[in-house]
Amino acid sequence: QVQLVESGGGLVQAGDSLRLSCAASGRTFSIYDMGWFRQAPGKEREFVAAISTSGGTRRYADSVKGRFTISRDNAKSTVYLQMNSLKFEDTAVYYCAADDGGIYQVIAGKVASWGQGTQVTVSP
């Protein structure tokens, strides 16, 4: 399994931007499809975005399309989530996920590795 560590969360105002990072270690990063999920208080964890091993395929939840961008740097073993035009409802703990079974496995949340999460709080 790969170990994942998220960073970049914080407290921002509505309309601001944040960039989350997820650094991977332990195994060859480039074989993993990667994703971001989030969990708001009292709600189940939900899919946010996913990216294939090469970065050629990206998928987004409807709620973040046009505002969030997922990217990866295989040389740095890092995946990013650029979040623009943040809304109050984006407030959640954001988790990084990795799996080598294909991007749709990641989208479904059936992944082998999860990070510990990073808190994003958007004030109205």
Side-chain angles (χ1 to χ4, degrees):
Q1 291 185 357
V2 64
Q3 288 75 49
L4 305 172
V5 178
E6 302 97 333
S7 61
L11 172 63
V12 297
Q13 293 185 330
D16 285 352
S17 298
L18 270 180
R19 188 176 81 154
L20 305 183
S21 299
C22 172
S25 62
R27 291 195 66 184
T28 305
F29 178 71
S30 59
I31 71 171
Y32 290 94
D33 298 282
M34 302 295 296
W36 287 95
F37 290 73
R38 66 187 182 187
Q39 186 167 19
K43 296 186 177 181
E44 293 190 355
R45 186 151 49 186
E46 65 174 3
F47 168 74
V48 174
I51 188 167
S52 61
T53 53
S54 67
T57 300
R58 309 180 194 199
R59 295 290 184 266
Y60 298 93
D62 288 343
S63 58
V64 306
K65 262 179 200 174
R67 300 188 298 122
F68 290 12
T69 301
I70 189 170
S71 62
R72 66 189 293 160
D73 185 336
N74 285 346
K76 294 182 178 180
S77 298
T78 302
V79 63
Y80 304 97
L81 185 68
Q82 177 67 42
M83 305 186 293
N84 298 329
S85 302
L86 281 161
K87 304 177 181 179
F88 174 72
E89 50 265 40
D90 294 320
T91 295
V93 177
Y94 283 71
Y95 297 91
C96 181
D99 199 86
D100 60 0
I103 191 172
Y104 293 101
Q105 192 86 345
V106 172
I107 294 169
K110 298 177 181 178
V111 300
S113 300
W114 292 96
Q116 84 290 349
T118 185
Q119 177 71 47
V120 172
T121 304
V122 184
S123 62

